[in-house]
Amino acid sequence: MLIVARPLRALSGKMMNRKHLFVLVALLTLAFASMLYARDKGDKDFKAAQEAAVRQDWDHALDLYMSAMDKNPNNQAYVIGMRRARFQAGQMHVNKGQKLRADGKVEEAMAEFQHAIVADPSSAIAIQELKRTKVMLDQTGGKPENPSEVGLTEAEKSRRQLDRKVESMEGPPELKPIVGTIQTIKMNNQPPKVLYETIGKMAGINVVFDPQYSAPSRNSNVDIANMPIEEAFDYLAMLTHTFWKPMSANTIFVTEDNVTKRRDFEDMVVKVFYVTNVTSVQEFQEIATAIRTVAEIRRVFTYGAQKAIIVRGKRDEVALAEKLIHDLDKPKSEVVIDVIVLQVNSTYSRSLAATIASGGTAGLQQAIAFNGPGGSTSTAATGTGTGTGTGTGTTPTTGTGIVTLNQIPHISINQFSTSLPGALLNAVMSDARTKTMNKPQVRASDGMKVELKIGERIPYATGSFSSGVSVASSVSPLVSTQFNYADVGLNLSITPQIHSQSELTMHVEVEVSSVDQYVNIGGISQPVIGQTKNTADIRLKEGEINILSGLSQNSDASTVAGLPGLTSIPILGQFLFGSSTRNKQTSELMIALIPHIVRTPDYSAENLRGVYAGSDQVVKMSYERPAPAASAPAPSAGVPQAVLPPATAIPVTAPPVTAPQLGVPVPPPTPPAPGRARVRFAPASIEAAPGAPVMVSVQIDNAADLFSASPMRIKYDTALLRLNDATPGELFTRDGVRITSVKDIRNEVGEATLTVTRAPGAAGISGTGAVLMLNFTAVGKGSGTISLPEFSLKDSKLQPVAVAPAELPVKVN
């Protein structure tokens, strides 16, 4: 029984082990399959997330990356993709929110910023924009008082206010008299105040005197004919030793002309000039120095980052500085130089030999061997010697070449042997020619250096450093050798100086170098560089060819070898009993320069003529006056000249003169057609592509006695159009009368306002023509209109002119 039970127990144990093993294998297989399934499913989400990222769908990409991480959080590729998608999704919502807020949709922008924080909780910009938007909603309830400031943060509002303030800053006042030219006036023995006020009343200018001004005891006489009003005031200032300046468009201030009064009352101007054509700091500083020296302006500051010169000085000083910068800031002349480098190398080698020679050598050198009298072997000599110097032994034989003296008489010619020399016949010739041509082209500005290098850079040692530690090896690892590089080949340097459109001078440095050999210095192989250098200043015309350097080198070597005496036989000796070798090398280098002037400074007549600049102490600029739009009437019986009697106790001033439009031909007014004035757009409809310019003209038909348009308000769709400029039409200036215009363009709300007024005293204009020119740019697709919600016209009596409204359909596709 025991014998049978043991095998059954063993069999049962084996079956249990197999069962356990099967269960273990099944469990491992299921675990591995689940891992594979999870990995495959994560990869599927990962690939889908990458495709969504390519489409810029960052929200969906972030969800897919998160799903992939849930299945396999240890995959670093999933983690990196998730973090990138999180950042991009947050930034996308921030950008959308900023755009919505700029469009005035504050509440929608708030929602976008909240989405940005959900997508990327670490986004500092999203948190910041959310806080700003919340403050805007709390302060205004989403409806700001100023519609143009919808969607602007407090900082943006402050910057906009600053921009408006800077734009509203005016320049120095400009005098705008009603009458630009004084035709004829004569006054005798009158004080300065009477002279100034009389001229001022004739031109429609108010005159204000310094309260501290005291008139001189001596009066002056004035006789003016056909003189511009500014020159008339200058004329009075010189006669009366006074100084005047405009305070506004129709008022001047007069005081005594001295250093103190000019310092106290003369206007100062600040202006920034941008110098765009200088290429070095030295040139920039030289222009600033010229302004300080010539215009005598003490406050001049240079800003190198933008090449700007900031000037603060008197009005005429700044005007003179502007003239200097306008003349000095010119583009430099430029020249294009064709460089032709032609190198020709020729090597000729010839070798002739026909001689009796051994081993192929030129000449005869044969060995004669002594075989000895005793056969082919030799034995060593043995024997004894005594003090008497006698001994016995055998004689060495067979090729030793040594015999005893008593054997010399028995030597015969049969004991010597030699080999007959062979014959050499050699005839070799080689002829190699090399031609290299380089045709580079360089361009240089006037006075600027340009370099051309053709060749190689060869290293050479310049020094070494050792720590001083002794080692057994031949080369110490603690030694450091410094190397530099030498430019070997053709090195060309050109500095042009352009004189005119047809001539220039070039400073040329040419260096041709090559490595001749290498020498060992301190265990380092150092190159020995041979060079040829030439420096010249040459003056050339446009397109003139100049051979800068023609370098030639010839080498001719000849060698003769052979049997002495026989090679000296004329004609045949060298060829039958010797060898002749000849080497000939020729090297030629030619460099040609051909200049072509491609730009010169555009010096105009304005740059070359002189201008009036005042006196030594006072800078004063004068300007050419335009043709006057109105002038005072000539003397006639109805209007006598203003002639004052001498020594009048009561100042008498010339009566104010209302100047009609004389001197300028005025076309007769066009009689208006019967009916009401009508406003229309030209063209009648607009169809354009995005980005295309759109020009619109506002026309008026049947205008009668039109004097001003105040205001003309334009309304347009900002999603379709952007207004670049609005200018008065030709109808207001058809007769040459000066106009005053003020415009305000607000593209953020799609509105613009333009006010146009003719000069005071001018008559109204009648007829048909353009009153407004609009320059748009199409920015988006869609349909809309351009309208005139407010279009107020007035006649010369400042009475409103009734017009019918109009609209212009616009389509952008």
Side-chain angles (χ1 to χ4, degrees):
M1 291 296 294
L2 292 176
I3 296 175
V4 174
R6 287 183 179 177
L8 288 176
R9 281 198 213 95
L11 181 60
S12 176
K14 290 180 180 180
M15 292 179 65
M16 292 297 293
N17 290 338
R18 288 178 182 177
K19 184 177 180 180
H20 292 166
L21 180 62
F22 176 77
V23 172
L24 180 61
V25 170
L27 292 175
L28 291 176
T29 302
L30 290 174
F32 184 69
S34 63
M35 292 175 61
L36 288 178
Y37 176 75
R39 187 187 64 181
D40 292 340
K41 192 171 182 180
D43 288 344
K44 182 178 179 181
D45 292 341
F46 180 71
K47 292 179 181 179
Q50 289 179 325
E51 294 175 357
V54 172
R55 298 191 305 268
Q56 303 293 316
D57 188 1
W58 295 110
D59 287 336
H60 186 49
L62 179 59
D63 294 339
L64 292 172
Y65 279 125
M66 295 294 292
S67 176
M69 283 188 59
D70 291 340
K71 298 178 177 63
N72 189 1
N74 296 325
N75 193 321
Q76 294 301 317
Y78 299 169
V79 176
I80 294 173
M82 181 273 297
R83 291 179 178 176
R84 178 170 176 265
R86 186 183 292 278
F87 171 78
Q88 293 291 349
Q91 192 64 33
M92 178 188 67
H93 286 291
V94 169
N95 295 337
K96 288 182 179 179
Q98 290 175 340
K99 187 176 184 304
L100 289 171
R101 190 177 61 190
D103 294 338
K105 303 175 181 178
V106 183
E107 295 180 355
E108 298 179 13
M110 187 79 171
E112 287 294 335
F113 293 138
Q114 291 173 349
H115 286 311
I117 295 176
V118 171
D120 186 8
S122 63
S123 176
I125 184 66
I127 298 174
Q128 181 179 0
E129 294 295 332
L130 182 66
K131 291 180 179 179
R132 288 178 178 176
T133 309
K134 188 175 184 302
V135 170
M136 294 173 60
L137 287 173
D138 294 340
Q139 291 180 350
T140 62
K143 297 179 180 180
E145 298 178 359
N146 190 353
S148 63
E149 295 182 352
V150 174
L152 298 182
T153 63
E154 293 300 323
E156 291 171 342
K157 292 178 183 179
S158 177
R159 283 195 297 268
R160 174 164 293 190
Q161 292 175 0
L162 178 61
D163 292 341
R164 290 175 179 173
K165 187 175 182 180
V166 172
E167 291 176 0
S168 65
M169 291 181 181
E170 297 182 352
E174 296 289 340
L175 198 62
K176 297 179 181 179
I178 297 177
V179 178
T181 302
I182 303 299
Q183 293 293 330
T184 303
I185 185 172
K186 183 177 181 181
M187 292 179 286
N188 298 323
N189 195 23
Q190 295 299 315
K193 288 187 176 181
V194 174
L195 299 178
Y196 272 105
E197 290 175 352
T198 301
I199 300 297
K201 288 183 178 180
M202 295 182 67
I205 299 298
N206 300 320
V207 180
V208 177
F209 278 86
D210 182 8
Q212 299 179 356
Y213 174 73
S214 58
S217 58
R218 183 178 178 181
N219 297 334
S220 303
N221 300 327
V222 172
D223 190 355
I224 296 176
N226 193 23
M227 183 179 291
I229 184 64
E230 289 85 354
E231 294 184 9
F233 285 142
D234 291 340
Y235 176 58
L236 295 181
M238 182 171 291
L239 287 178
T240 59
H241 299 286
T242 54
F243 154 67
W244 72 275
K245 70 170 187 177
M247 295 179 60
S248 64
N250 61 350
T251 305
I252 65 171
F253 174 81
V254 181
T255 186
E256 185 179 357
D257 188 7
N258 55 49
V259 177
T260 303
K261 293 297 182 180
R262 283 189 174 271
R263 186 184 64 241
D264 294 341
F265 293 106
E266 198 162 16
D267 295 330
M268 302 293 285
V269 178
V270 177
K271 192 168 183 178
V272 180
F273 300 98
Y274 295 95
V275 184
T276 59
N277 293 304
V278 297
T279 56
S280 64
V281 177
Q282 180 181 357
E283 296 172 359
F284 183 52
Q285 294 295 335
E286 286 177 355
I287 292 179
T289 303
I291 293 174
R292 292 190 186 97
T293 306
V294 177
E296 296 185 352
I297 303 177
R298 294 182 293 109
R299 299 176 179 91
V300 178
F301 180 78
T302 57
Y303 181 56
Q306 296 185 6
K307 294 182 181 178
I309 300 178
I310 305 171
V311 176
R312 183 177 185 269
K314 300 175 183 177
R315 183 197 313 217
D316 290 325
E317 293 175 349
V318 175
L320 180 57
E322 186 174 12
K323 161 70 175 173
L324 294 176
I325 294 177
H326 177 264
D327 293 344
L328 295 177
D329 186 23
K330 295 288 184 181
K332 278 192 171 185
S333 302
E334 287 188 281
V335 59
V336 173
I337 305 171
D338 292 328
V339 183
I340 302 176
V341 181
L342 178 62
Q343 186 173 5
V344 179
N345 295 327
S346 176
T347 302
Y348 175 80
S349 176
R350 186 193 65 186
S351 178
L352 297 177
T355 181
I356 300 174
S358 176
T361 60
L364 187 61
Q365 182 181 0
Q366 297 297 329
I368 300 175
F370 176 72
N371 296 327
S376 59
T377 59
S378 63
T379 58
T382 59
T384 61
T386 62
T388 60
T390 62
T392 61
T394 61
T395 302
T397 61
T398 310
T400 61
I402 300 175
V403 295
T404 58
L405 295 179
N406 60 353
Q407 295 292 328
I408 291 177
H410 304 285
I411 295 174
S412 66
I413 195 172
N414 294 328
Q415 295 175 314
F416 293 90
S417 63
T418 186
S419 59
L420 296 178
L424 175 65
L425 179 62
N426 185 18
V428 178
M429 184 185 74
S430 64
D431 189 355
R433 299 189 180 187
T434 304
K435 181 179 180 181
T436 304
M437 176 180 288
N438 291 317
K439 295 181 66 177
Q441 190 180 72
V442 295
R443 182 165 180 161
S445 298
D446 185 21
M448 305 300 289
K449 184 178 180 181
V450 62
E451 293 183 342
L452 175 65
K453 296 181 180 182
I454 303 175
E456 300 175 342
R457 303 195 69 189
I458 305 299
Y460 62 92
T462 58
S464 61
F465 171 77
S466 176
S467 63
V469 179
S470 176
V471 295
S473 60
S474 59
V475 179
S476 173
L478 303 179
V479 175
S480 175
T481 303
Q482 293 82 33
F483 288 89
N484 206 342
Y485 290 86
D487 294 316
V488 175
L490 174 63
N491 299 325
L492 183 64
S493 173
I494 303 175
T495 305
Q497 183 70 39
I498 301 174
H499 306 298
S500 64
Q501 295 182 353
S502 58
E503 280 193 298
L504 76 158
T505 296
M506 294 189 297
H507 177 78
V508 183
E509 296 181 3
V510 58
E511 178 182 330
V512 181
S513 58
S514 61
V515 178
D516 290 343
Q517 59 179 333
Y518 285 88
V519 297
N520 191 298
I521 302 177
I524 300 176
S525 180
Q526 295 278 65
V528 177
I529 300 175
Q531 66 175 1
T532 301
K533 189 173 183 179
N534 182 19
T535 302
D537 289 285
I538 54 178
R539 183 162 183 151
L540 300 174
K541 291 185 176 181
E542 160 75 22
E544 182 178 353
I545 301 176
N546 178 74
I547 304 299
L548 179 64
S549 179
L551 304 177
S552 300
Q553 183 178 3
N554 297 324
S555 176
D556 196 348
S558 179
T559 303
V560 177
L563 296 175
L566 297 180
T567 57
S568 300
I569 299 175
I571 301 175
L572 299 178
Q574 295 181 3
F575 298 100
L576 296 180
F577 304 102
S579 63
S580 174
T581 303
R582 184 178 182 182
N583 295 319
K584 184 177 182 180
Q585 295 182 351
T586 302
S587 177
E588 294 184 1
L589 177 65
M590 184 190 74
I591 303 174
L593 302 178
I594 308 174
H596 304 282
I597 299 174
V598 296
R599 177 183 289 138
T600 56
D602 185 16
Y603 296 122
S604 62
E606 297 177 356
N607 304 135
L608 301 177
R609 69 183 180 92
V611 295
Y612 172 76
S615 62
D616 180 70
Q617 299 297 325
V618 178
V619 176
K620 176 68 176 177
M621 304 298 293
S622 296
Y623 302 91
E624 182 180 355
R625 306 299 177 186
S631 59
S636 62
V639 184
Q641 294 183 356
V643 179
L644 301 180
T648 303
I650 301 175
V652 179
T653 61
V657 180
T658 302
Q661 301 294 325
L662 298 180
V664 178
V666 179
T670 304
R676 184 182 182 185
R678 184 173 67 92
V679 175
R680 59 183 175 87
F681 287 96
S685 62
I686 295 294
E687 185 171 354
V694 177
M695 302 298 296
V696 178
S697 171
V698 180
Q699 303 279 339
I700 185 169
D701 298 333
N702 303 324
D705 195 24
L706 181 62
F707 182 79
S708 67
S710 176
M712 294 183 287
R713 190 159 63 93
I714 306 98
K715 185 72 175 177
Y716 53 93
D717 190 353
T718 58
L720 302 179
L721 299 172
R722 177 181 178 82
L723 182 59
N724 302 318
D725 197 8
T727 57
E730 53 85 21
L731 182 62
F732 286 104
T733 59
R734 182 176 293 175
D735 56 354
V737 175
R738 183 186 303 171
I739 64 172
T740 302
S741 63
V742 179
K743 62 183 175 182
D744 181 18
I745 299 176
R746 301 178 299 278
N747 279 309
E748 62 274 9
V749 295
E751 288 187 0
T753 304
L754 182 68
T755 301
V756 182
T757 305
R758 289 165 60 85
I765 194 75
S766 300
T768 299
V771 294
L772 183 62
M773 301 298 297
L774 303 175
N775 180 6
F776 289 97
T777 299
V779 296
K781 295 183 179 181
S783 300
T785 59
I786 300 175
S787 61
L788 300 170
E790 186 176 358
F791 198 78
S792 301
L793 302 178
K794 296 180 182 179
D795 58 14
S796 59
K797 298 179 182 180
L798 301 182
Q799 297 298 321
V801 177
V803 293
E807 283 191 353
L808 174 64
V810 178
K811 185 176 182 180
V812 181
N813 49 22

